[in-house]
Amino acid sequence: MTDTFETTLARIISQKSIFESLDERAVEIGVVLPLLRQVGWNTEDVLEVYPQRKLSNGKVDYDLQICGESRILIEVKSWGPNLDDGNEKQLERYCRSAKPELAVLTSGQMWRLYLPPTQRVGLKRKQFVDIDVTEQPTETKQIFRRFLARDKMVDFKPTVSAAKKLLKEIQGQEKLKEALTDALNELANDKDKLAQVLQKLVERKGIQQSLENVKHVLEEPAFRGIVNEVGTGTKSQKKPASFSILASPNGQKMMSHTVGKPKGWYNFLSELCELMHERHRESFRENMLSMADRFAESKGPKFSEPIGEVGIYARKLLTSGQIRTACYEIVTKFGYPEDSLVILDSDGVKL
């Protein structure tokens, strides 16, 4: 029976537990080369699939070439859900030397595709695909056929143009998210305006409530997550700088804790989780992973924000309000009253 892309990928996924215990070379032989063969590359021709090509600043694992011209650089790492900034910087250096049309960073499980860096823009901002083959097999086939197939690289201009269009769409979505976040932050921190908007919305559902009652409900703990960081001008003053937990499961008062470097809400979340990990090691992992919509044990497309040094990842693109709500839920998971968590900004003002 002749292998297809689907059967090759299915075999790779079925062997993922094996790849987890092997090195980069095993990923090259067992994952990268078989998938490249399925999209038309002659992996036995070293002039086409050039292994360990020596560049001025190192050796790239594979340089896919056509007629002696570099088309796609591929840097391979050990199997797993993690690809760090160091791996990206390494590939960026190779791109600046070889000047390919596209670049790929892969751990076998994760595949990231990039347009080459420019003088002003690094590789990180040129990423247009980030896919986990174990979770997205159908999308994986489409991506390989669309961007990595050999026939797409003969006349590469349409493929590169499609990649640029996709990148532009991604960047547009990111800008929209930033704009919406700023607008939501501005609204969330103007309590009167927020209350007025919400009052009109609930009235449409046939619920008549006074403006004062709406404001009162917004002050309840369940709605604390609505209040995000403020927008331009005072944003830096509203980042969490310290927190106190004023009670504990055994009724004893706990000491306050200062966030080491108040960089924002993800840093604050890490500090809180590290404290919970220190005090509740036996139940930490079980409690955190029970919040499966926000935390995971492995890094992946949806969960990419490392939480301190505790081996847990948070869902990426959580808003400050969502993180704040999660913090209150975390303390209750470990037996503390929700209202015992007090969050302060750098001026000591309660957030």
Side-chain angles (χ1 to χ4, degrees):
M1 179 178 175
T2 303
D3 277 344
T4 64
F5 190 95
E6 290 88 347
T7 58
T8 299
L9 184 56
R11 184 178 66 250
I12 290 168
I13 294 173
S14 71
Q15 296 174 333
K16 63 181 181 179
S17 60
I18 298 174
F19 288 119
E20 287 172 355
S21 63
L22 302 177
D23 60 11
E24 295 175 10
R25 183 59 179 152
V27 173
E28 293 178 18
I29 296 173
V31 180
V32 177
L33 294 180
L35 290 178
L36 290 179
R37 282 195 290 271
Q38 289 301 325
V39 289
W41 293 95
N42 184 357
T43 57
E44 295 180 1
D45 183 353
V46 296
L47 297 181
E48 183 168 294
V49 181
Y50 191 154
Q52 293 295 304
R53 182 188 171 190
K54 187 176 181 180
L55 303 171
S56 61
N57 48 14
K59 290 182 180 179
V60 67
D61 289 324
Y62 293 99
D63 182 4
L64 307 187
Q65 297 189 355
I66 294 180
C67 298
E69 295 182 355
S70 178
R71 292 290 195 263
I72 305 173
L73 293 191
I74 302 179
E75 185 63 22
V76 184
K77 300 302 173 185
S78 298
W79 179 275
N82 300 326
L83 289 168
D84 59 36
D85 291 344
N87 301 150
E88 211 166 55
K89 288 293 185 183
Q90 179 185 13
L91 181 57
E92 181 175 326
R93 293 195 300 271
Y94 296 157
C95 286
R96 295 191 184 281
S97 177
K99 303 187 184 309
E101 302 303 328
L102 298 176
V104 177
L105 179 62
T106 180
S107 65
Q109 178 179 345
M110 300 300 303
W111 288 72
R112 291 182 182 171
L113 277 58
Y114 308 83
L115 286 161
T118 63
Q119 184 175 359
R120 294 184 178 182
V121 181
L123 200 64
K124 191 175 189 66
R125 290 176 56 192
K126 290 290 188 172
Q127 177 185 316
F128 63 93
V129 167
D130 184 9
I131 195 164
D132 184 334
V133 302
T134 65
E135 293 186 359
Q136 302 160 282
T138 301
E139 293 86 345
T140 298
K141 178 183 176 181
Q142 293 171 350
I143 291 297
F144 269 74
R145 297 289 191 200
R146 186 179 182 188
F147 296 108
L148 301 182
R150 186 188 184 281
D151 60 357
K152 297 293 185 181
M153 283 291 115
V154 176
D155 178 12
F156 58 85
K157 291 182 179 179
T159 302
V160 172
S161 178
K164 288 179 179 178
K165 182 179 179 180
L166 182 55
L167 178 62
K168 187 175 181 179
E169 291 173 358
I170 293 170
Q171 292 173 337
Q173 286 295 314
E174 291 301 320
K175 288 180 180 178
L176 176 59
K177 289 176 183 177
E178 290 178 6
L180 287 173
T181 299
D182 287 343
L184 287 170
N185 286 341
E186 183 178 344
L187 178 61
N189 286 278
D190 186 336
K191 299 293 181 64
D192 291 336
K193 185 182 293 186
L194 176 61
Q196 290 170 6
V197 171
L198 294 178
Q199 183 189 31
K200 291 179 181 178
L201 290 175
V202 297
E203 284 179 351
R204 291 180 188 176
K205 297 180 179 293
I207 303 172
Q208 299 297 321
Q209 291 291 328
S210 69
L211 187 59
E212 290 305 315
N213 194 36
V214 173
K215 291 180 182 179
H216 176 73
V217 172
L218 289 176
E219 294 298 327
E220 293 181 1
F223 286 87
R224 286 174 178 168
I226 292 175
V227 182
N228 288 326
E229 298 169 17
V230 297
T232 308
T234 59
K235 187 173 183 178
S236 62
Q237 298 176 7
K238 290 295 181 179
K239 290 182 180 179
S242 66
F243 66 86
S244 299
I245 301 179
L246 304 179
S248 68
N250 60 15
Q252 297 178 355
K253 184 176 180 180
M254 294 183 65
M255 298 294 291
S256 61
H257 187 79
T258 301
V259 178
K261 295 180 180 179
K263 297 178 180 178
W265 285 97
Y266 272 110
N267 186 65
F268 173 75
L269 177 62
S270 294
E271 294 276 351
L272 178 62
C273 289
E274 286 181 339
L275 181 63
M276 293 297 104
H277 182 259
E278 178 185 336
R279 294 176 179 271
H280 307 280
R281 288 182 183 272
E282 293 184 0
S283 60
F284 178 79
R285 190 166 295 274
E286 179 182 355
N287 285 338
M288 293 299 297
L289 296 181
S290 69
M291 294 178 277
D293 60 326
R294 278 163 289 185
F295 302 103
E297 195 167 16
S298 300
K299 186 175 181 180
K302 296 180 181 178
F303 299 89
S304 62
E305 296 291 342
I307 300 302
E309 302 294 331
V310 298
I312 296 290
Y313 293 87
R315 194 179 186 93
K316 63 181 180 182
L317 302 179
L318 289 175
T319 67
S320 57
Q322 290 170 331
I323 294 174
R324 183 172 180 170
T325 299
C327 289
Y328 286 107
E329 186 173 344
I330 287 169
V331 295
T332 64
K333 287 285 184 181
F334 292 95
Y336 305 92
E338 182 183 81
D339 58 5
S340 68
L341 176 62
V342 177
I343 307 171
L344 305 176
D345 68 12
S346 56
D347 294 325
V349 178
K350 184 177 177 180
L351 294 177

